[in-house]
Every structure is written in structure tokens, then in C-alpha cells.
């Protein structure tokens, strides 16, 4: 139980440290690096929130715990009351964590089921002869996508969205969407699907549930949603002319204007037009998106490796230090209690002594020990 708790804490601290470093790099670099690079950094932080890399490090390293084990064996009776108290404390913490996880999970399930029920009641299939299918097939061919993707119309005034990881479905509102706008919208949603962004959103939700007590995980979820959209825009417009990019921005504005449904990060879909991203920043990045120079790519790669390496080291140190806290407390408590029992005259067994230990005993006790040494009951060790 204690081990599971230390793993969760280690994950939380490691993920938070990576996120803070990523935010710092983002602040320093301004708009120098690509949106895709920032998105990858957020996903790296998410990785450390979910994957205990320090356990892999523990398996590959040799940890010398012989001395601590010996102390525990020799003082098992002394340690027992202290260990019980510590376990009780951890049990309370674990119960609180489980309650938080349960409430977070139930809240997500309620929001998701309510939205899904409302969406299903408002959607209907698109006729096969509709132009929408022609656009969908064309974009899938251009992107080399072979998996089937469904497309439906929705009576709700929502932004275009793609949902479902096993049965991906693009949901379009019943607006009069121009053919060129339709191409941009469908391409945008298919890029989300191709990059597995729907899986990333589910992983972010899992991290939010597991680390519900950590405010940084909520920041990460917003960052994942924001940079997912910005990097997707970047992929859509990277080969477009300035005029086409303006048209793409106008399409986003039209969808936002027509949609009156609030988006929610718990809905596990990727919305084409969402209020979760600063609109001005989004439009500027659409107009300014360009291929990054090789020198900047190389530098960003070095930074990316540095973040990852530093995160592995910090996560390992965090996990070990958290474990050692309880060990040190138990060990010190055991020594203190052992000293008290010796002062009170409690019985304890001695297997070996040194001549320098004479000062630790009374004169009578030391004479008794010497007699036991002569009888072979106690070993007199060399200095």
C-alpha cells in the first residue's frame, strides 16, 4: 500500500516538474518553435504523469539494503508499534485518494453519458450521395487513411467534432457549409484522428482522475487541448497560401459564431471551433505558420532530450527519497525506542561486543558480558 502511494506521488511530482519546465521554455521561446513541438512537450509531461519510469531504473540498478534489512530483523519487536502507526496514516491517505478518484470518475461518466445521449438523439446519417462523402473520401486518400470513418449530421448547434477511437465519427452541424470550408473542416478532424489525439485526450483524462489533488494536472489538460488544436491548424495550413490561410481562419470564425454549445474537456472529442484556445493567438499562428529552420529543429531536439533525461533522473530521485522518508522515520524511531528500553532495563540479546563497548554498559553488566565471552555465549570482535 505504501509502495503504491509513493508511486502516485512520484508520478505527480515528476509530471508537474516536466510541465513547469515546458511552460518556462514556452515563455522564453515565444513563437519561435512550432506548435507541434509545444504539443509534444505537453505529451511528454503527460507521459511522466502516467508512466513510472523510476521503477524501470530501480530494476536496472542494484540497491544495497542489507543494513536496513538487518536492523529491521534485529528490532522487529521494537519496530512493530511504529510501523502500525505509519501504516494507519498511509491507509487514511489512500482512502482519501480513492474517494477523490471515485468522485472524479463518476463526474466524468455523468458528463460523458449525458453528452453522448444528447448527441445520439440529435444525429442522423448522411446520405451516401451527399457531397460530404466525396470530400471525406478525397481527404482520406490524400492522407493515406484506410480505416473507416463515419460522418453524420447533428441538429445541435455544435462545432464540427470527431469522436470515438474504435469507431471514429465526424459530426457536422446542419449549417450551409461551403465546399471549400467543408474540405478544411474534414481535413482538420482527420488530422486529429491520424495523430491519435483522441487517445491523448483519454490519457489526459486518466491523469486528471489519478492526480485529482494536483492543480498542475488541470493545467496540463488545458494545455493538451490548446496545443492539440494549434498544432492541428499548423498541419492543415502549412502548405497553404496566405489567402487560403485567411479563408481557413474565416471558417473557424464562422463555426464559432454559429455554435452555441460550450465545449468541455471531458467530452473526449476534438472540436474544430473551440473557446478553449485563445482566438487571437490561434489566428495569428495560422497566418504565421511556417517550416522551422534546421538549426532551430536541432536545438529544440536537444532541449527535448534534456527535458526527458532530466525528468527520468528527477522521477527516480523523487521515488527513492519518498520511500526513504518512511524508512528513516521508522529506523530512527526504532533506535530511540531501543535506547529507552535499555534505560528501563528491558531484556535484550547481545550476540557480539567489542572492547570499546565497555563504556556503554554498567560495571556489573560488563563483568557479566565478559563471563559470557569466556563461556563462548558472546563473541568478542576485533577492533
Amino acid at each position: 500500500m505504501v509502495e503504491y502511494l509513493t508511486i502516485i506521488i512520484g508520478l505527480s511530482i515528476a509530471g508537474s516538474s516536466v510541465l513547469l519546465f515546458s511552460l518556462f521554455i514556452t515563455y522564453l521561446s515565444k513563437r519561435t518553435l512550432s506548435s507541434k513541438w509545444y504539443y509534444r512537450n505537453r505529451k511528454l509531461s503527460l507521459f511522466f504523469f502516467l508512466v513510472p519510469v523510476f521503477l524501470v531504473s530501480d530494476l536496472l540498478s542494484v540497491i544495497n539494503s542489507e543494513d536496513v534489512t538487518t536492523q529491521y530483523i534485529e528490532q522487529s519487536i521494537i519496530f512493530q508499534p511504529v510501523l502500525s502507526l505509519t501504516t494507519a496514516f498511509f491507509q487514511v491517505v489512500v482512502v482519501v485518494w480513492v474517494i477523490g478518484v471515485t468522485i472524479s470518475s463518476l463526474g466524468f461518466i455523468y458528463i460523458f453519458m449525458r453528452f453522448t445521449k444528447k448527441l445520439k438523439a440529435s444525429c442522423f446519417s448522411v446520405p451516401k450521395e451527399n457531397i460530404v462523402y466525396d470530400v471525406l473520401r478525397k481527404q482520406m486518400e490524400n492522407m493515406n487513411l484506410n480505416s473507416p470513418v463515419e460522418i453524420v449530421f447533428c441538429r445541435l448547434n455544435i462545432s464540427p467534432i470527431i469522436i470515438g477511437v474504435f469507431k471514429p465519427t465526424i459530426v457536422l452541424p446542419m449549417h450551409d457549409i461551403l465546399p471549400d470550408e467543408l474540405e478544411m473542416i474534414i481535413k482538420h478532424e482527420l488530422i486529429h484522428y491520424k495523430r491519435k489525439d483522441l487517445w491523448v485526450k483519454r490519457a489526459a483524462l486518466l491523469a486528471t482522475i489519478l492526480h485529482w489533488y494536483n492543480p498542475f494536472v488541470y493545467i496540463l489538460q488545458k494545455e493538451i487541448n490548446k496545443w492539440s488544436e494549434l498544432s492541428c491548424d499548423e498541419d492543415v495550413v502549412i502548405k497553404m497560401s496566405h489567402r487560403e490561410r485567411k479563408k481557413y481562419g474565416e471558417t473557424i470564425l464562422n463555426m464559432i459564431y454559429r455554435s452555441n454549445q460550450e465545449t468541455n474537456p471531458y467530452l473526449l472529442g476534438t472540436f474544430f471551433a473551440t473557446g478553449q484556445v485563445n482566438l487571437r493567438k490561434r489566428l495569428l499562428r495560422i497566418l504565421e505558420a511556417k517550416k522551422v529552420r534546421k538549426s532551430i529543429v536541432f536545438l529544440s531536439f536537444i532541449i527535448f532530450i534534456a527535458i526527458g533525461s532530466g525528468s527520468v533522473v528527477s522521477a527516480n530521485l523523487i521515488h527513492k527519497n519518498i520511500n526513504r522518508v518512511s524508512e528513516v522515520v521508522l529506523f530512527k524511531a526504532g533506535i530511540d525506542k531501543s535506547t529507552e528500553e535499555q534505560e528501563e532495563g528491558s531484556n535484550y540479546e547481545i550476540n557480539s561486543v567489542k572492547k570499546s563497548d565497555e563504556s556503554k554498559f554498567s560495571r556489573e553488566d560488563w563483568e557479566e558480558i565478559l563471563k559470557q565471552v569466556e563461556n563462548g555465549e558472546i563473541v568478542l570482535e576485533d577492533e
Side-chain angles (χ1 to χ4, degrees):
M1 183 182 298
V2 175
E3 178 66 19
Y4 292 147
L5 186 60
T6 58
I7 290 175
I8 292 296
I9 296 174
L11 288 171
S12 191
I13 297 176
S16 300
S17 63
V18 178
L19 177 61
L20 285 173
F21 190 70
S22 298
L23 293 174
F24 179 68
I25 293 296
T26 303
Y27 174 77
L28 292 181
S29 61
K30 302 300 180 181
R31 294 197 296 270
T32 304
L33 302 174
S34 66
S35 298
K36 185 180 293 186
W37 192 87
Y38 296 123
Y39 184 39
R40 287 173 178 170
N41 272 270
R42 275 48 174 186
K43 288 193 288 186
L44 180 64
S45 177
L46 177 61
F47 174 82
F48 280 97
F49 265 111
L50 295 175
V51 181
V53 292
F54 39 78
L55 295 186
V56 177
S57 176
D58 286 346
L59 292 175
L60 298 178
S61 62
V62 179
I63 302 176
N64 184 10
S65 57
E66 182 179 353
D67 293 339
V68 176
T69 304
T70 303
Q71 292 287 350
Y72 281 165
I73 294 174
E74 292 179 357
Q75 303 184 38
S76 58
I77 298 178
I78 296 174
F79 275 36
Q80 188 61 38
V82 181
L83 184 59
S84 298
L85 290 175
T86 306
T87 302
F89 168 76
F90 277 112
Q91 286 176 340
V92 173
V93 176
V94 170
V95 168
V96 173
W97 175 75
V98 170
I99 292 174
V101 169
T102 304
I103 294 175
S104 299
S105 301
L106 292 177
F108 153 70
I109 292 173
Y110 171 74
I111 293 173
F112 179 76
M113 294 299 292
R114 185 180 66 176
F115 175 77
T116 303
K117 182 179 179 180
K118 187 177 181 180
L119 194 64
K120 287 182 177 180
S122 305
C123 291
F124 60 93
S125 300
V126 177
K128 295 295 182 180
E129 62 276 7
N130 194 292
I131 188 177
V132 170
Y133 270 106
D134 293 333
V135 175
L136 177 63
R137 281 192 293 268
K138 177 183 175 182
Q139 292 298 330
M140 290 186 67
E141 289 175 0
N142 293 338
M143 298 171 63
N144 295 320
L145 288 174
N146 298 319
S147 303
V149 177
E150 297 293 327
I151 192 163
V152 297
F153 282 137
C154 182
R155 298 182 184 89
L156 299 175
N157 290 328
I158 65 172
S159 164
I161 179 178
I162 184 169
I163 57 175
V165 292
F166 298 110
K167 188 180 178 182
T169 303
I170 297 176
V171 181
L172 297 175
M174 292 185 63
H175 302 317
D176 292 329
I177 304 176
L178 299 175
D180 54 347
E181 291 182 336
L182 189 61
E183 288 185 6
M184 294 177 180
I185 291 171
I186 291 179
K187 183 177 181 180
H188 178 99
E189 300 305 336
L190 288 177
I191 287 176
H192 276 305
Y193 171 66
K194 186 176 182 178
R195 298 190 318 182
K196 312 297 183 185
D197 288 342
L198 295 173
W199 284 106
V200 174
K201 291 201 69 171
R202 278 159 175 75
L205 177 63
L206 176 61
T208 304
I209 291 174
L210 292 176
H211 304 279
W212 57 267
Y213 54 87
N214 187 343
F216 289 107
V217 78
Y218 299 99
I219 297 175
L220 174 62
Q221 190 178 47
K222 291 182 178 180
E223 288 287 301
I224 288 286
N225 291 331
K226 179 178 75 174
W227 290 108
S228 171
E229 293 302 324
L230 292 177
S231 62
C232 187
D233 290 339
E234 189 176 76
D235 284 345
V236 173
V237 305
I238 196 65
K239 295 182 180 180
M240 287 184 177
S241 65
H242 185 76
R243 183 183 64 82
E244 290 173 327
R245 295 185 184 196
K246 288 182 64 177
K247 179 62 179 177
Y248 181 73
E250 290 172 1
T251 302
I252 293 175
L253 292 174
N254 289 336
M255 291 299 105
I256 292 177
Y257 176 76
R258 294 171 180 176
S259 304
N260 59 14
Q261 298 290 324
E262 290 293 331
T263 59
N264 191 303
Y266 293 103
L267 298 182
L268 299 182
T270 56
F271 292 88
F272 177 76
T274 171
Q276 297 176 37
V277 181
N278 183 284
L279 184 57
R280 182 176 179 274
K281 178 186 289 186
R282 185 176 184 183
L283 295 176
L284 283 175
R285 281 193 166 270
I286 288 171
L287 295 175
E288 297 174 357
K290 59 183 178 181
K291 291 186 178 180
V292 183
R293 295 195 305 270
K294 291 183 178 180
S295 58
I296 296 180
V297 172
F298 177 76
L299 177 61
S300 63
F301 177 76
I302 297 298
I303 296 174
F304 194 81
I305 294 298
I307 294 174
S309 302
S311 303
V312 172
V313 174
S314 62
N316 192 29
L317 291 175
I318 289 165
H319 179 249
K320 288 182 178 179
N321 289 334
I322 291 174
N323 279 332
R324 286 172 182 170
V325 168
S326 58
E327 291 176 1
V328 170
V329 171
L330 290 176
F331 181 70
K332 187 176 185 302
I335 292 177
D336 292 342
K337 188 166 183 179
S338 176
T339 304
E340 291 176 1
E341 290 189 355
Q342 290 181 20
E343 291 176 353
E344 292 173 1
S346 301
N347 294 327
Y348 52 89
E349 183 179 354
I350 300 176
N351 297 322
S352 62
V353 293
K354 298 178 182 179
K355 290 183 179 181
S356 58
D357 293 334
E358 180 178 357
S359 60
K360 300 178 181 179
F361 299 90
S362 64
R363 183 176 180 180
E364 293 78 9
D365 289 341
W366 183 248
E367 290 177 353
E368 181 64 24
I369 289 173
L370 292 179
K371 290 180 181 179
Q372 294 181 358
V373 170
E374 293 176 357
N375 296 332
E377 298 175 3
I378 295 178
V379 177
L380 182 62
E381 296 180 350
D382 296 331
E383 296 291 341

